[in-house]
Structures are given as C-alpha cells and as structure tokens.
Amino acid sequence: MTNKKDDTTLEKIVSLCKRRGFVYPSSEIYGGLAAIYDYGHYGTLLKNNIRDSWWKSMVQMRDDVVGLDSAIFMHPKTWVASGHVGGFNDPQIDCKKCKNRFRADHLLKEYGIDADKATLEEINNHLDKLREQGKLKCPNCGSTNLTKAKIFSLMVKSNIGSPTEEFTEENVVYLRPETCGGIYLEYKNTVDSLHKKLPFGIAQVGKAFRNEIVARQFIFRTREFEQMEMQYFLQPSMMKEKYKMWKELRWQWYLDNGIPKDKIKWHQHEKLAHYATEAYDILYGFKSLGGFDEIEGIHARGNWDLSQHAKFSGVELNYTDDGGEKFIPHILETSAGLNRMLLMFLDFAYAEEDVNGETRVVMKFPKALAPIKIAVFPLLRNKPELVKKAKEVYDKLKLDYICEFDDNGNIGKRYRRQDEIGTPFCVTVDFDSLEKSDVTVRDRDTMEQVRIKISDLENFFKDKFSA
Ligand code: ATP
C-alpha cells in the first residue's frame, strides 16, 4: 500500500458524500435549492459525533458552562437591538454579462485588498480604482462589465404571526442569523434559575440562517447551517486571562480530535467591531478548497450585547457581585460552524492509496468521530449458519457501538464501502468461526487482519476505542 499524490478536490468529496450517503443536495427531485443540503445516515452520525465532542468539552467537562436550546424565532426587536436589521449586510456585485453574483469584499481580496470591515463607499472606491486601471474583471467570465457594489441583507424573513396583522418592517420575524442571540436573551433566566456566579458560560448548538449572496464551496457556506456557540459572561477585569484560557482550550479541541497543529492556524482580526477588544479566528488548511479558511471565531465582545438588549427591552441585565457592585457582564464568545467543521473532517480524512495497482479511497476519520465504528460481515450471505453467527456478534457489539451488518456483494466490495464510510474495524465471520469461535478483525488504516476470539471482542474494542 502506498499513499497516492494528494489531489483531494472538492468534487471528489462531494461525489463521495452523495455516493455513500453523507450529504445530499436538498430537494433534489425538484431540481434542488441552492446552498441547502440534507444529511444522510452517515453524515448525520458524523455531525452528531462532532457536536457531541464539542458539547462534552464545552459543557459536560466544565462546571462553569451550562446548556441551552433556544428557539429559532425570536422577538423582532432582538435583531434591531443587536444591529442585524440595520447592518447585517454584505456588499454584492453583479456581472452584467454572465449574470453571476459575487461578494464585493471577496472579489477585492483576490486583488490583495482587505475590505472585511470596509464601508460601501470604501468598497466602491477600491472597485473604481481597479476599474480605472482596467484590472477589474468578473472571476467567472472575465468581463469588465461589473455593476457597482450594493448592500444586500443577509437576514432571512419569515411570515410567522397573525394572518390578519399588517406585515410591516417593524414586526418582521426573522429566522435567527446566529444562535448567540438566544443566549443573550436567556442570560437573566439562567442567572435567576441556576444561580450561576460569574464567570460562567451558556452553550448551545442550533440552526442559523443567512441569505448568503454567494453560496458555493459545498457545505462551507450555506443558507441554513448549524452553529455551536458559547457565550462566557465575566467581570471585565477577567477578560485577558479568560480569553487566553479559551483560546488555548479551543485550539486543544482540534488537536484532541485528530487535526494536527500544522493544519490549523490563528488569524487575528485587525479591524474590530466598535465594541470588541480582541478577535481571533481558527483557520483550517483545506486540501479541497486550496487554502486556509475560517472554522471558528473567538471574540472578546465587551458588554455591548447585554447593554443593547437591556436598552431595547427595558429590562435590567445587570449582575450584582458579592461586594454588592452592579454591572453589565462582559462577554467572551466562541463560535464555530458545525457543518463547516464537518467539511474540515471530511477534507482531513479523505485519502487515496494505491493497493496492488488499484485506488483505495478511505476516510481516515479519528475513531471517536467515525459514523460507524464496527461493520460485521458473514463471509457468505447464503450460508445460514454464518449469517446466524455474524448476527449474534453484531447484536452484541451494537449494544456498545454504532455498528453495521453487511452481507451485500463480496468481501472486497464490503471493505471498499466501509473504507469510504470510514469504519475503523470490520469483523468477518467465516467457517473457522463456527468451529473455533473466533473472527477476523480488519483495521481500516493498516488493512491488517487479526484473529480474535469472539469472547475477547469486547475487551479488544474497548482498548482500541479508548486508545
Ligand atoms: P464568514 O466570514 O465565513 O462569512 P463569519 O465571520 O460571518 O463567517 P460568524 O458570524 O463569526 O462567521 O459565525 C461563526 C461561525 O459560523 C463561522 O466561523 C463559521 O464556521 C460558521 N458560519 C458562518 N456563516 C456560515 C454559513 N453561511 N454557512 C456555514 N457556516 C457558517
């Protein structure tokens, strides 16, 4: 077995995801819906495992973080207070020739201009300069016939509410564009009901919706996605120390989940939102996207969020410390995209190897994240005694692990399928098993096979999965 030259492309990952049941384009039988995806059996299992690993480290293992599951629909004033209604926009630019639409700040990035926090006027100034120099071209068709940049709101509207009520700009209910809004609104209930003392965090995982202008790169940027966010409430004097702590903890999470340190890096934001004091992103080096891109942000947000919600709701969102001092807590946020992380793990795991002149595609997920942990096969599907024994082994193992019973095709085909799903171990019951009560266990990564007594399987896998 030799590793093939690494030419992992997004097309290969997209194709594997569909072929093997990880991710499908949504509403495909109706022609699809741009930038919306459905997760099949293995995609759902993988996503749940990533989410659970995050939840374990962020909530289960910590005494200072509690969980929340807030609603997607929130009072319309929430998003006015947070600034989203007025300012959650992206600059959009259109090509008049090929009718493609782009994010103007992303287009400027291709010319080496950082317009991440630039105003529309600044963006148009940059574009005009490039236009004058004859450099501004459509990235799709090369035409120079591009519109001026204009602002496009990312907020997704809904029409929830009484059907008789006039649907005005003031009472628009949006689908939440981020999950942290729900956390800010439940700060007071959490303090009142759980009696949490600062510093403490509230974590939640849930759906968010953004009307992204350009939806491409598969599940990297979609209009419906899931976030895993934690807001840590603290005294301002603690921010420096806790910011350092959370940066280290979040970095370590990637290493603990098998991502090597040369595949991730920090990006410090130079231009900060007016309320923020520090902002770093964790970027992952995608083989399939050709470079490093953001997976998670860690932001020191000051007391802006709670101050705004206190102002707009008229409800005090203070904290009174043991000395009797009243203040609005400051917030440190860790915010990661679950689907983007899933793409990171797909990208990282995807490997092609040359085995006896044939290409083996194998998803080398870390064992703890693999959707299926163990596959069990009878050597032949038409031998009832083998099938019966294999079912017995399967029924026992599935009490502790997500397992799959597979008797389709020949053994070679089953291995190939399980390799593409990323199953760490395959157990085969053959004729010797009937006599000696043992099985063959094949390792996904080394392809080595060992004979193990059925009665020893429990301990064998306990060792393998705890290692
Ligand atoms: P970007 O600059 O890529 O648009 P952002 O800085 O707007 O992202 P945040 O608002 O900080 O992102 O959201 C936190 C995380 O949520 C991001 O790091 C990313 O992992 C995820 N995320 C944001 N927008 C999307 C999207 N449209 N699709 C999938 N994941 C997303």
Side-chain angles (χ1 to χ4, degrees), residues 255-446:
L255 306 186
D256 291 346
N257 281 280
I259 303 291
K261 55 177 183 292
D262 62 335
K263 290 289 288 177
I264 44 176
K265 68 179 183 191
W266 288 109
H267 165 72
Q268 183 176 16
H269 287 233
E270 279 163 19
K271 290 185 191 151
L272 296 174
H274 65 90
Y275 47 81
T277 50
E278 253 189 301
Y280 278 84
D281 292 336
I282 294 179
L283 314 185
Y284 165 77
F286 283 93
K287 296 179 280 188
S288 58
L289 302 181
F292 279 85
D293 250 312
E294 173 185 336
I295 302 292
E296 166 160 7
I298 297 155
H299 308 134
R301 298 178 58 89
N303 65 3
W304 192 79
D305 304 286
L306 289 185
S307 305
Q308 283 293 101
H309 291 302
K311 191 167 126 194
F312 278 74
S313 65
V315 174
E316 275 196 9
L317 297 176
N318 290 327
Y319 180 82
T320 309
D321 70 13
D322 291 342
E325 198 198 333
K326 250 187 180 186
F327 60 94
I328 296 187
H330 282 222
I331 287 175
L332 189 165
E333 157 185 275
T334 72
S335 171
L338 177 51
N339 318 74
R340 217 175 257 192
M341 244 181 212
L342 189 135
L343 183 60
M344 171 182 83
F345 283 110
L346 289 169
D347 178 278
F348 180 66
Y350 187 95
E352 287 181 5
E353 290 169 356
D354 191 284
V355 181
N356 304 329
E358 277 194 24
T359 299
R360 170 173 99 118
V361 174
V362 52
M363 299 302 282
K364 295 191 172 180
F365 296 121
K367 289 189 187 71
L369 298 182
I372 301 291
K373 301 289 188 256
I374 306 163
V376 181
F377 315 146
L379 182 65
L380 299 169
R381 69 187 304 185
N382 57 0
K383 295 283 172 215
E385 62 277 32
L386 291 183
V387 174
K388 184 167 172 273
K389 190 89 190 157
K391 277 262 162 71
E392 276 169 27
V393 172
Y394 168 70
D395 284 340
K396 215 157 164 241
L397 289 173
K398 77 177 180 190
L399 296 174
D400 295 313
Y401 303 97
I402 303 258
C403 296
E404 192 165 274
F405 186 85
D406 192 354
D407 60 3
N408 273 318
N410 60 34
I411 287 282
K413 277 205 179 118
R414 293 180 208 161
Y415 280 153
R416 215 162 307 143
R417 190 170 156 267
Q418 295 300 333
D419 282 346
E420 292 201 354
I421 295 166
T423 306
F425 298 101
C426 293
V427 171
T428 304
V429 170
D430 55 21
F431 291 104
D432 278 352
S433 309
L434 301 177
E435 278 174 29
K436 298 185 190 149
S437 270
D438 61 4
V439 289
T440 299
V441 179
R442 183 245 200 194
D443 182 298
R444 176 195 69 193
D445 298 340
T446 61

Side-chain angles (χ1 to χ4, degrees), residues 58-74:
M58 299 298 283
V59 183
Q60 185 181 331
M61 302 303 287
R62 300 201 62 90
D63 301 332
D64 55 350
V65 181
V66 293
L68 177 74
D69 184 3
S70 71
I72 285 170
F73 292 122
M74 297 171 68

Side-chain angles (χ1 to χ4, degrees), residues 153-158 173-176 209-211 223:
S153 171
L154 299 180
M155 300 292 282
V156 179
K157 286 180 185 173
S158 104
V173 175
Y174 293 96
L175 300 183
R176 65 181 177 199
F209 303 83
R210 295 183 187 178
N211 223 345
R223 297 195 170 116

Side-chain angles (χ1 to χ4, degrees), residues 84 88 90 103 105-106 116-117 154 177-178 208-212 214 218-229 269 281-282 293-297 299 333-341:
H84 281 85
F88 194 48
D90 274 337
R103 257 179 68 176
D105 54 335
H106 286 177
D116 194 25
K117 296 266 178 309
L154 299 180
E178 53 186 28
F209 303 83
R210 295 183 187 178
N211 223 345
E212 297 282 358
V214 183
F218 192 35
I219 52 171
F220 182 84
R221 187 180 303 284
T222 50
R223 297 195 170 116
E224 174 177 342
F225 57 101
E226 281 175 82
Q227 288 185 314
M228 305 191 287
E229 295 200 292
H269 287 233
D281 292 336
I282 294 179
D293 250 312
E294 173 185 336
I295 302 292
E296 166 160 7
H299 308 134
E333 157 185 275
T334 72
S335 171
L338 177 51
N339 318 74
R340 217 175 257 192
M341 244 181 212

